[in-house]
Amino acid sequence: MRSEKILDMLNEQLNRELFSAYFYTAMEAYFASQNLDGFAHFFMVQTKEELDHARLIFDYINKIGGRVILKELKQPKIDYSSPTEVFELALSHERFITSSIHEIAKAALEEKDLTTHNFLQWFINEQAEEEETMDKILRKLKFIKEDPSGLLFLDKELSTRVYTPPSILQEN
Ligand SMILES: [Fe+2]
Ligand SMILES: [Fe+2]
């Protein structure tokens, strides 16, 4: 059973995933302006992943016979004081997204919408990974205290991030 309440929440989540892509594109631009190309690459890959999340929700809404409603995207933060600030904001954003998805999953259970609840399990697992990724890099930044050679080392590490579309998207 699908309800209007769940559809509204899914549309809101679609907007949040698109905003995440926008938010991370701004971070990519910041790092590109700082000549930290590995960090910029990391956020380019992150943006693609967020667009995949949006696509999965877009397809799901259509699949269950709902109507996708695109809303306004607010302007993301453009300037950052340091790489550490970027990752602090990225981590807190991912935590917000996690709680947002958990809220939909809880509401789906209340509405006895087990199909949506099942659909969201992939997102719940993905969010745990997203938080872990951001947190790990943030802890490394704090560890090196943004020392230039440490930053360049981390920049090199982040340049190796590979974009892989989610397997559930490849199946479609
Ligand atoms: Fe996402
Ligand atoms: Fe994310």
Side-chain angles (χ1 to χ4, degrees):
M1 270 298 290
R2 68 170 175 87
S3 67
E4 287 308 312
K5 182 184 173 186
I6 299 299
L7 271 178
D8 285 350
M9 292 178 98
L10 287 168
N11 268 310
E12 191 60 44
Q13 191 60 38
L14 172 59
N15 180 269
R16 286 174 179 165
E17 299 296 343
L18 289 170
F19 176 74
S20 300
Y22 213 29
F23 191 49
Y24 293 137
T25 302
M27 292 176 175
E28 179 189 349
Y30 162 74
F31 282 116
S33 76
Q34 303 291 307
N35 295 314
L36 287 167
D37 296 338
F39 280 91
H41 171 82
F42 174 89
F43 281 106
M44 185 270 288
V45 173
Q46 188 63 32
T47 295
K48 286 186 177 177
E49 289 198 359
E50 298 303 346
L51 291 174
D52 287 341
H53 302 164
R55 170 56 56 186
L56 287 166
I57 296 170
F58 182 99
D59 287 348
Y60 182 73
I61 292 172
N62 286 324
K63 198 171 114 183
I64 62 174
R67 175 79 168 91
V68 167
I69 308 288
L70 294 178
K71 302 171 194 205
E72 192 173 355
L73 291 176
K74 67 174 195 263
Q75 184 184 30
K77 185 173 162 60
I78 299 298
D79 285 318
Y80 301 91
S81 59
S82 65
T84 303
E85 189 197 11
V86 173
F87 279 88
E88 275 168 350
L89 291 170
L91 177 60
S92 67
H93 180 69
E94 288 301 336
R95 285 179 175 153
F96 162 70
I97 295 293
T98 301
S99 66
S100 170
I101 288 166
H102 287 187
E103 285 308 311
I104 313 173
K106 276 187 251 170
L109 267 191
E110 281 164 18
E111 307 270 319
K112 299 188 171 50
D113 180 353
L114 297 182
T115 310
T116 299
H117 187 260
N118 182 51
F119 166 73
L120 292 170
Q121 296 313 300
W122 182 88
F123 283 85
I124 290 171
N125 292 332
E126 172 74 3
Q127 278 312 118
E129 278 180 33
E130 296 260 89
E131 285 189 28
E132 191 192 343
T133 304
M134 297 303 179
D135 190 40
K136 259 190 180 167
I137 299 167
L138 178 59
R139 279 187 281 133
K140 282 183 185 177
L141 282 166
K142 286 182 174 166
F143 178 72
I144 64 172
K145 297 190 177 72
E146 300 204 342
D147 158 73
S149 57
L151 263 186
L152 288 177
F153 185 82
L154 195 50
D155 190 60
K156 199 162 185 198
E157 186 184 313
L158 295 181
S159 74
T160 63
R161 185 177 185 188
V162 177
Y163 165 69
T164 323
S167 54
I168 43 169
L169 198 57
Q170 288 167 331
E171 285 159 16
N172 289 331

